Amino acid sequence: MSFVLGPNQYGKAENRVVRIYRDTARHEIRDLNVSTALRGEFTEAHTTGDQANVLPTDTQKNTAFAFAKEHGVTSPEDYALTLGSRFLDVTPAASASRIEVEEYAWDRIEVGGTGHDHAFVKRGGEVRTTVVTQDRSADEPRAWVVSGVKDLVVLKSTGSEFKGYLKDEYTTLKETDDRILATSLVARWRYETTEGVDWNKSFEDVRSLLLETFATTYSRALQESLYAMGSAVLAAHPEVAEIKFSAPNKHHFLVDLAPFGLDNPGEVFVAADRPYGLIEATVQRENGSDAGDAWLTVPGFC
Ligand SMILES: O=c1[nH]c(=O)c2[nH]c(=O)[nH]c2[nH]1
């Protein structure tokens, strides 16, 4: 039997980098979880144990922290682009770098009606994400930015139905024209370019549009809501090439209160945690740009 090394990458996962801007009395905070990875000609490291080509994951970690000071964190995307370029510069064997950043948002604590200068409260739940890939294995170097949001938990208490679906002898689900629709959304969108984008503004605008469209679209299924949300983003954001969703359908089942002599016209539900429907979809432009390696090792999407 003989073997060869298949696809591989290595780096330091989940560096918890917190950058405080304290140049004035009013501090700013960027709270990041940074995962770095390199791909390329690292066969020897695996097959003969020769580590001559390997930039240690420890060095990658150190650089992640040093760059938070030297280059700052104006946005997760710019930080990741700078860090990924650096790793390519100092690692000749690397053909590509992949930097994944999650950002946790903090709000200022309100004191006497104004936000405190240096005391913060963590914003619940949702996480801003980016995956920046830079590849130099082809004639022209290529780069991709895939940004997004995860754990964005949303719920509509009406304005959602599910009926007219395929039925067989195992179907027990009752049709409904008024149900709760809830999900913990993961959305990731690929940018057309890595330059000239106001990453923070684009993120805020896309996020707002996703929420607004979820709220205002009458939903005949989670599938329809996702498609409407994606279409709204592509229509308003030429800088976005495509958007992918992974949306668990967080079922809320109406509780039968009849045994207690109570009616229940859509007022009391049991929130089930599992199993859940898992609806995944991509909304893309017709004849859109080539995604290249943008989605390579981005898990959890169809
Ligand atoms: O929005 C939904 N999509 C489905 O595909 C589905 N299937 C199901 O049982 N409930 C739902 N809800």
Side-chain angles (χ1 to χ4, degrees):
M1 275 192 281
S2 68
F3 309 101
V4 290
L5 182 69
N8 62 90
Q9 62 178 8
Y10 80 100
K12 194 69 100 187
E14 304 211 42
N15 299 282
R16 290 286 287 106
V17 178
V18 178
R19 172 63 152 106
I20 306 288
Y21 286 90
R22 50 188 310 149
D23 313 301
T24 70
R26 196 163 179 80
H27 293 184
E28 304 283 339
I29 182 169
R30 306 298 305 234
D31 182 357
L32 309 180
N33 189 23
V34 182
S35 295
T36 68
L38 294 175
R39 303 173 188 143
E41 189 36 66
F42 298 108
T43 309
E44 295 278 304
H46 296 83
T47 59
T48 71
D50 179 349
Q51 305 301 314
N53 290 335
V54 170
L55 184 75
T57 69
D58 192 67
T59 308
Q60 296 179 35
K61 173 204 69 182
N62 291 343
T63 314
F65 285 96
F67 271 35
K69 165 67 177 161
E70 283 187 78
H71 300 277
V73 182
T74 52
S75 67
E77 289 83 359
D78 277 324
Y79 170 81
L81 283 160
T82 308
L83 195 58
S85 299
R86 162 74 190 187
F87 291 145
L88 293 182
D89 287 347
V90 295
T91 316
S95 59
S97 63
R98 177 190 190 277
I99 311 295
E100 178 161 9
V101 180
E102 300 181 341
E103 181 172 29
Y104 313 118
W106 293 80
D107 295 319
R108 292 182 188 282
I109 293 178
E110 291 276 320
V111 180
T114 49
H116 196 274
D117 277 350
H118 58 258
F120 303 87
V121 56
K122 195 168 186 181
R123 201 182 299 166
E126 74 181 90
V127 176
R128 176 175 170 180
T129 65
T130 193
V131 177
V132 172
T133 306
Q134 297 177 83
D135 182 292
R136 57 180 174 187
S137 62
D139 294 344
E140 286 286 300
R142 295 168 301 165
W144 301 273
V145 174
V146 173
S147 294
V149 64
K150 68 175 191 179
D151 304 335
L152 185 62
V153 182
V154 289
L155 180 150
K156 275 165 79 95
S157 53
T158 191
S160 163
E161 65 175 43
F162 191 64
K163 60 190 186 191
Y165 43 80
L166 182 66
K167 299 175 189 71
D168 69 7
E169 64 270 39
Y170 295 111
T171 302
T172 57
L173 185 72
K174 298 276 175 289
E175 301 202 337
T176 174
D177 51 21
D178 189 9
R179 66 172 185 172
I180 286 180
L181 183 65
T183 187
S184 176
L185 189 71
V186 183
R188 295 189 193 258
W189 51 92
R190 174 171 63 89
Y191 284 98
E192 291 285 7
T193 170
T194 60
E195 280 160 32
V197 178
D198 182 339
W199 303 113
N200 295 327
K201 181 173 189 324
S202 182
F203 171 80
E204 291 300 339
D205 290 352
V206 170
R207 177 187 174 280
S208 299
L209 199 48
L210 290 172
L211 291 177
E212 185 184 316
T213 311
F214 174 81
T216 56
T217 302
Y218 181 83
S219 175
R220 281 167 290 222
L222 188 46
Q223 286 91 328
E224 188 186 31
S225 292
L226 296 181
Y227 187 72
M229 291 156 72
S231 303
V233 168
L234 294 189
H237 288 272
E239 78 277 19
V240 174
E242 61 179 331
I243 181 165
K244 289 179 183 279
F245 298 102
S246 179
N249 192 352
K250 293 171 79 72
H251 302 299
H252 288 67
F253 297 114
L254 199 64
V255 178
D256 180 8
L257 298 177
F260 321 117
L262 299 170
D263 65 350
N264 188 9
E267 292 175 322
V268 179
F269 297 83
V270 56
D273 71 336
R274 65 190 78 168
Y276 50 88
L278 184 59
I279 313 299
E280 299 181 310
T282 305
V283 186
Q284 56 198 27
R285 299 185 189 280
E286 245 180 314
N287 307 314
S289 59
D290 177 16
D293 287 349
W295 299 100
L296 197 64
T297 72
V298 179
F301 288 101
C302 57

